[in-house]
Amino acid sequence: MINIIDGKKIAKKIRENIKEKALLLRQKSIIPTICVIIVGDNKASRSYVNSKHKACMQNEINSIIREFEENIKGEILLEEIDKLNNDKNIHGILVQLPLPKHINAMKVLEKISPEKDVDGFNPINVGKLNLGIATLIPCTPLGIIKLIESTKEDIEGKNALVIGRSNIVGKPVASLLLNKNATVTIAHSKTTNLKELVAEADIIVSCVGKAHFLTTDYVYKNNATIIDVGNNYKDGKLVGDVDFLNVKEKVKYISPVPGGVGPMTITMLMHNTLLACEDQINL
Ligand code: GUN
């Protein structure tokens, strides 16, 4: 039996819970607030930032957008982040990536106070995640785990295959799966035996970034769960890494694109902002 993992429905439920908690905080005059920084005029970044802003505002999370010119000096950006770090009314800080080439993105991420790092990209939070210490976790990986957990299948002891090794998705999702006692393999562009790995996998997280990369040319376990993180365009249409219509017949659970991981990412950003807020006011 195929089960489509409905990210939209799962995200909606979590958002209702977030809104309720945010309203309770507001009744105590605490307004959970995120500040999103955008540098330059990257169209895709602007669209992501606007979506984040809209979702936050709809769910009682206050969102402030700070825009800076493309040619802003790195040191000025660091000073601005420092001001936000010291502002008690700001609980979460997110710097939209990519940054212009003249700015050292790692220095910027390091500057964000780990307690306010709602993206979970500060190396201190990355280290904590790898050590299995509770911390703010990157939004897309956290959303992926929630989708896998929604199947109610065990993660412990399962073969989990992560295809893609980015700092934003592949590596953190692999850490999260490992922390949940899966046997984790990370495959990437230099992997030579992907077909064998796919055939052995109980859980597959695909973050390759190639439209319909996973086809029925691969053999899947019939009780496998596939989470498709792809965000690709094919013939003007948003599609995932997985040839959904054909592969869905071969596995037990699969998340679609759109309507799978996408709605979870912004939801987890709000979740992290609320967590950061509660932590900072010592709830
Ligand atoms: N650019 C693309 N994805 C992301 C993300 O998850 N966080 C930030 N800050 N920038 C991004």
Side-chain angles (χ1 to χ4, degrees):
M1 193 177 78
I2 323 151
N3 286 296
I4 310 298
I5 301 175
D6 187 345
K8 237 173 149 177
K9 193 167 149 193
I10 297 165
K12 185 168 176 271
K13 211 165 160 201
I14 300 174
R15 285 181 191 206
E16 284 167 5
N17 194 264
I18 289 169
K19 191 171 179 176
E20 230 169 79
K21 285 188 175 164
L23 273 170
L24 284 176
L25 286 172
R26 280 175 180 257
Q27 282 168 11
K28 296 182 199 160
S29 301
I30 298 153
I31 302 171
T33 299
I34 179 172
C35 181
V36 177
I37 293 175
I38 178 164
V39 181
D41 205 21
N42 178 315
K43 257 198 184 149
S45 290
R46 188 156 295 275
S47 158
Y48 288 138
V49 166
N50 288 342
S51 303
K52 288 169 187 176
H53 179 74
K54 194 171 148 206
C56 286
M57 295 310 254
Q58 282 171 345
N59 290 283
E60 304 295 338
I61 308 271
N62 185 35
S63 161
I64 298 166
I65 301 177
R66 297 286 312 273
E67 301 183 34
F68 296 100
E69 299 282 344
E70 176 91 16
N71 62 2
I72 186 177
K73 281 208 173 97
E75 305 92 83
I76 306 290
L77 188 57
L78 295 180
E79 281 172 20
E80 291 296 331
I81 291 173
D82 220 26
K83 284 184 205 159
L84 295 169
N85 283 341
N86 293 314
D87 184 339
K88 284 199 162 49
N89 295 315
I90 304 283
H91 308 102
I93 303 168
L94 179 149
V95 177
Q96 187 65 29
L97 301 173
L99 286 168
K101 286 206 169 65
H102 69 278
I103 296 177
N104 182 331
M106 191 45 77
K107 267 195 178 165
V108 170
L109 298 177
E110 273 177 327
K111 190 71 179 175
I112 299 170
S113 158
E115 293 75 29
K116 297 192 178 188
D117 173 33
V118 285
D119 245 338
F121 293 166
N122 180 305
I124 292 190
N125 286 328
V126 175
K128 283 188 172 176
L129 171 60
N130 286 319
L131 291 168
I133 298 172
T135 190
L136 290 165
I137 292 167
C139 303
T140 300
L142 185 56
I144 291 166
I145 295 296
K146 302 267 181 210
L147 292 184
I148 297 170
E149 286 178 341
S150 78
T151 67
K152 306 270 191 265
E153 299 270 318
D154 283 338
I155 294 177
E156 182 164 307
K158 294 289 171 63
N159 287 340
L161 173 64
V162 178
I163 314 177
R165 55 175 159 179
S166 70
N167 291 337
I168 292 181
V169 186
K171 287 181 199 167
V173 86
S175 286
L176 286 167
L177 289 163
L178 184 62
N179 291 347
K180 291 191 175 292
N181 295 323
T183 302
V184 183
T185 304
I186 305 178
H188 47 76
S189 55
K190 306 288 185 246
T191 297
T192 54
N193 61 337
L194 189 59
K195 282 206 164 152
E196 285 162 41
L197 298 174
V198 167
E200 289 297 314
D202 301 299
I203 298 166
I204 300 172
V205 178
S206 181
C207 31
V208 176
K210 282 189 189 158
H212 294 179
F213 175 81
L214 283 178
T215 61
T216 46
D217 287 349
Y218 289 85
V219 174
Y220 302 89
K221 276 192 163 181
N222 59 12
N223 62 348
T225 296
I226 301 186
I227 305 295
D228 188 347
V229 196
N231 194 34
N232 318 299
Y233 282 86
K234 193 176 182 192
D235 306 325
K237 249 181 76 183
L238 176 63
V239 297
D241 290 349
V242 184
D243 175 11
F244 180 79
L245 285 178
N246 293 309
V247 174
K248 78 177 168 54
E249 308 296 336
K250 309 282 180 193
V251 296
K252 189 165 177 190
Y253 294 97
I254 185 165
S255 72
V257 175
V261 174
M264 294 299 286
T265 296
I266 296 181
T267 305
M268 291 303 112
L269 180 64
M270 295 188 282
H271 165 89
N272 277 351
T273 305
L274 202 58
L275 264 188
C277 175
E278 288 171 348
D279 201 38
Q280 283 157 50
I281 59 169
N282 292 320
L283 259 189

